[in-house]
Amino acid sequence: ALPICLDVVLERAADAIERRRQLTQQVVTALAYPLLVLVAAVGVAFFMVLEVIPRLEGLMKALGRKLPPTTVALIEVSAWARTDGGWWLLGLLVAAIAGGLSLRLPGARVVADRGLLRIPLIGEVLRVAASAMFARAFSILLRSGVTVLDGLRTAEALAGNRHLAMVVAGAREQVLGGGTLAAGLGGAGGFVPMLGRMVAVGEATGRLEEVLEEVARHLEGQLAVRVRRLSALVEPAIIVVGGGIVGVVYVRSEEHTSELQSRQYL
């Protein structure tokens, strides 16, 4: 075999880093926009509950008639938010900080990363992205002359998801014990099933690095499709839910304001 020059290895590494950055950017973009829309909608709803409803509460009671259940519910929510909402918000903030600190513990991080992969739609996008990154990195390592065991150790360190890193570590242990790499990577709850099947083909034909490169290219294309599908499904749902929350508060407030104004004219 011809020796591999350092400039070739560095060029492959740079290409892998750029592809990894692009994959990460696709995933972050797919998840960030729906989250921002939801936060904005909930923020507007809270503003109306905390500011608009209290000002209209006295006017609503001045109408002298029994309020409908939706209006009563809004008033009760507004009263609760003004009296106990701050303590609940503080409790949620403390819980979020405690949860973030607990992720520094290896066991908690593994559980959290495993849970992320099980979220509908989002988990599948994360799984495909992680599988593409692993296939691309491991292919480059093998093509650069790194052994399978050393390549798996490096790929484990590169894995952003701790649960999948444990899967790679388990695959390495299985190879050390005389097993196949495909069996270690193809277990349920880890990478996409296609990765294990194609690794088996690569091991059988002796062209593992080439097969992994093709798998990475295919999964990168699949990731783009799944990101578009996620955006097409999640964004309208978030807009409908968030708009519904704001709409209910706004419509009920406008109804009672109009009714009070008409009584004043009478």
Side-chain angles (χ1 to χ4, degrees):
L2 295 176
I4 301 176
C5 299
L6 179 60
D7 58 341
V8 176
V9 175
L10 292 176
E11 184 177 355
R12 292 173 181 172
D15 181 66
I17 293 173
E18 176 61 21
R19 288 179 180 270
R20 188 182 185 91
R21 185 192 64 81
Q22 293 175 356
L23 291 178
T24 303
Q25 187 175 11
Q26 289 181 19
V27 175
V28 171
T29 302
L31 301 180
Y33 179 70
L35 181 61
L36 290 176
V37 174
L38 179 61
V39 170
V42 173
V44 172
F46 268 100
F47 171 77
M48 299 186 72
V49 168
L50 295 176
E51 294 293 332
V52 179
I53 296 299
R55 296 178 182 178
L56 296 178
E57 182 178 355
L59 301 178
M60 292 176 182
K61 292 180 180 179
L63 293 174
R65 66 169 60 180
K66 184 178 180 180
L67 298 178
T70 54
T71 302
V72 174
L74 288 176
I75 293 175
E76 291 178 351
V77 170
S78 177
W80 172 84
R82 281 176 285 149
T83 56
D84 300 330
W87 293 105
W88 280 90
L89 183 62
L90 179 61
L92 290 176
L93 180 61
V94 172
I97 295 175
L101 293 176
S102 67
L103 292 180
R104 298 177 180 271
L105 302 175
R109 175 67 184 275
V110 171
V111 172
D113 286 349
R114 186 187 299 118
L116 285 176
L117 297 178
R118 295 179 179 177
I119 299 176
L121 297 178
I122 296 177
E124 190 62 27
V125 170
L126 296 177
R127 193 185 304 272
V128 172
S131 300
M133 292 179 184
F134 170 81
R136 175 71 61 183
F138 195 40
S139 171
I140 291 177
L141 290 170
L142 293 179
R143 290 173 58 194
S144 300
V146 180
T147 64
V148 171
L149 294 178
D150 290 338
L152 288 174
R153 184 185 294 109
T154 302
E156 176 188 352
L158 292 175
N161 187 289
R162 290 295 88 195
H163 171 66
L164 294 179
M166 290 185 61
V167 172
V168 176
R172 182 173 179 274
E173 294 297 327
Q174 189 157 343
V175 172
L176 280 172
T180 63
L181 177 60
L185 295 176
F191 295 102
V192 295
M194 175 190 177
L195 180 62
R197 293 195 293 266
M198 295 307 295
V199 167
V201 173
E203 288 180 310
T205 58
R207 300 170 57 247
L208 181 58
E209 61 274 14
E210 298 177 16
V211 171
L212 285 171
E213 186 175 357
E214 292 297 326
V215 170
R217 187 178 297 111
H218 173 77
L219 291 177
E220 288 167 359
Q222 287 295 311
L223 178 64
V225 173
R226 292 180 184 274
V227 166
R228 289 195 298 268
R229 184 182 304 169
L230 176 65
S231 300
L233 293 175
V234 174
E235 290 177 13
I238 293 297
I239 293 174
V240 169
V241 173
I245 295 173
V246 176
V248 169
V249 178
Y250 177 77
V251 169
R252 299 307 301 179
S253 302
E254 286 296 316
E255 286 179 356
H256 291 289
T257 302
S258 300
E259 187 173 353
L260 180 61
Q261 291 175 348
S262 64
R263 285 193 167 221
Q264 290 176 343
Y265 288 125
L266 293 176

